[in-house]
């Protein structure tokens, strides 16, 4: 395959990180989407530098690339999912999320990651849209500065239900920020099927200049549920063809965060599915 495939550790939370990395290497994955969380390279626990260097050595030993993902559900607040966000009404709470992202950029640089993923968060109740966008741009400014210094792109993800939910919202953010060089896009193929007006393959083509990270899974129109391949509605050969045509050379990471109970088996069958879809794509191109 011309694409570099990875698997997200948020779908392997029942495994130790070292075991998860070994599994993915054995299955033939090119890399890993590493979600920084309490069970996998906790970004807030002691001895972060030493632990990060240990993971970097393990990645190098296995020949795995890496993207740093920051979607851990309770890493900052044990009672609020994804809280606090970059849109939190409390400035100190917003600052704690910004600080985590800045720290994540440093971890990514140490690991040799090709991008740091993030998302906006949902708009708090009784918050005007203009206020929410202002909070987001202000909160991201230090992260973008850190990304510039580290030479690691920040790849923000349009997430259904969030302030930044669509590709159009991503371009709105780019405009508000003045189109900074380190700001790129995480494109989730399932989210395209769920929410975007154009088919996923067309979304890939539209997003190509800004692609810094790609997540992939199956999904149905209008339902934000990450599904194993074949359980949704996406026609994958055209999507893989579109990705290959962009020249994107980062990881395309399988994103099944609610399926850790079956993570090792789904990592195996996901690789088989994507290889089969790639063969179908290549066969159609040869006709």
């Amino acid at each position: 395959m011309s694409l570099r495939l990875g698997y997200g550790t948020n779908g392997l939370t029942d495994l130790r990180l070292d075991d998860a990395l070994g599994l993915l290497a054995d299955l033939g994955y090119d890399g890993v989407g590493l979600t920084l969380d309490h069970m996998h390279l906790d970004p807030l626990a002691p001895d972060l530098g030493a632990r990060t260097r240990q993971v970097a050595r393990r990645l190098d030993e296995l020949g795995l690339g890496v993207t740093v993902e920051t979607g851990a559900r309770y890493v900052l607040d044990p009672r609020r999912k994804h809280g606090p966000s970059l849109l939190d009404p409390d400035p100190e709470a917003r600052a704690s999320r910004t600080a985590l992202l800045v720290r994540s950029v440093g971890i990514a640089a140490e690991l040799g990651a090709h991008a740091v993923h993030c998302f906006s968060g949902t708009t708090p109740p009784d918050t005007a849209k203009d206020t929410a966008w202002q909070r987001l741009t202000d909160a991201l400014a230090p992260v973008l500065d850190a990304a510039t210094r580290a030479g690691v792109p920040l790849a923000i993800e349009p997430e259904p239900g969030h302030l930044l939910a669509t590709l159009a919202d991503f371009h709105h953010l780019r405009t508000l920020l003045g189109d900074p060089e380190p700001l790129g896009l995480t494109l989730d193929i399932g989210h395209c099927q769920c929410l975007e007006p154009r088919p996923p393959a067309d979304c890939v083509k539209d997003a190509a200049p800004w692609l810094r990270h790609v997540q992939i899974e199956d999904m149905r129109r209008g339902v934000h549920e990450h599904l194993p391949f074949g359980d949704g509605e996406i026609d994958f050969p055209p999507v893989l063809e579109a990705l290959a045509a962009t020249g994107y050379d980062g990881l395309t990471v399988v994103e099944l965060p609610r399926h850790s109970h079956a993570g090792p088996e789904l990592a195996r069958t996901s690789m088989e599915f994507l290889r089969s879809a790639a063969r179908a794509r290549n066969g159609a191109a040869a006709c």
Side-chain angles (χ1 to χ4, degrees):
M1 293 181 66
S2 57
L3 297 177
R4 298 175 62 224
L5 294 179
Y7 200 93
T9 59
N10 60 2
L12 295 168
T13 57
D14 291 288
L15 277 67
R16 298 177 184 88
L17 179 57
D18 192 67
D19 292 337
L21 297 179
L23 169 74
L24 298 181
D26 288 346
L27 289 172
Y29 282 94
D30 301 293
V32 59
L34 175 57
T35 296
L36 303 178
D37 207 347
H38 64 89
M39 78 295 288
H40 290 157
L41 192 54
D42 187 339
L44 302 180
D47 300 321
L48 177 62
R51 290 185 290 110
T52 301
R53 289 189 291 274
Q54 182 178 355
V55 173
R57 288 192 294 270
R58 180 65 168 155
L59 290 167
D60 183 64
E61 174 186 294
L62 295 171
L64 293 173
V66 61
T67 305
V68 167
E69 301 196 357
T70 63
R73 293 182 179 95
Y74 297 101
V75 69
L76 285 177
D77 187 330
R79 292 173 175 81
R80 283 194 298 161
K81 182 181 176 183
H82 298 311
S85 79
L86 297 170
L87 309 180
D88 199 284
D90 181 352
E92 291 188 5
R94 292 198 301 275
S96 69
R97 178 62 64 175
T98 294
L100 177 63
L101 292 178
V102 169
R103 178 172 290 203
S104 299
V105 169
I107 294 169
E110 184 78 26
L111 295 177
H114 72 79
V116 173
H117 148 279
C118 70
F119 42 59
S120 68
T122 59
T123 304
D126 303 318
T127 301
K129 277 293 182 69
D130 287 349
T131 299
W133 282 109
Q134 187 62 57
R135 288 177 186 168
L136 181 60
T137 57
D138 290 348
L140 283 177
V143 188
L144 291 166
D145 288 344
T148 298
R149 292 192 300 271
V152 179
L154 183 69
I156 195 163
E157 178 187 5
E159 181 81 19
H162 283 210
L163 174 69
L164 197 155
T166 65
L167 288 173
D169 293 332
F170 167 71
H171 292 301
H172 181 57
L173 178 66
R174 286 179 52 238
T175 300
L176 291 175
L177 288 169
D179 199 15
E181 192 277 334
L183 180 66
L185 174 69
T186 293
L187 187 70
D188 187 302
I189 301 303
H191 294 174
C192 297
Q193 176 69 21
C194 175
L195 201 61
E196 296 286 348
R198 286 161 61 79
D202 290 345
C203 292
V204 170
K205 296 171 189 174
D206 294 344
W210 301 278
L211 278 185
R212 301 296 180 268
H213 183 42
V214 175
Q215 297 172 343
I216 192 166
E217 70 286 313
D218 218 338
M219 205 168 285
R220 300 187 182 98
R221 183 71 179 165
V223 182
H224 185 204
E225 182 182 2
H226 291 237
L227 299 172
F229 297 108
D231 288 0
E233 300 170 340
I234 298 176
D235 182 14
F236 281 97
V239 173
L240 299 183
E241 182 177 6
L243 280 170
T246 66
Y248 167 71
D249 60 0
L251 292 172
T252 297
V253 171
V254 178
E255 182 79 356
L256 292 172
R258 297 184 179 180
H259 292 77
S260 275
H261 62 283
E265 177 64 11
L266 280 170
R268 182 187 67 79
T269 57
S270 295
M271 174 62 81
E272 291 175 353
F273 181 95
L274 290 169
R275 283 175 170 164
S276 177
R279 287 193 294 270
R281 178 201 90 201
N282 293 336
C287 293

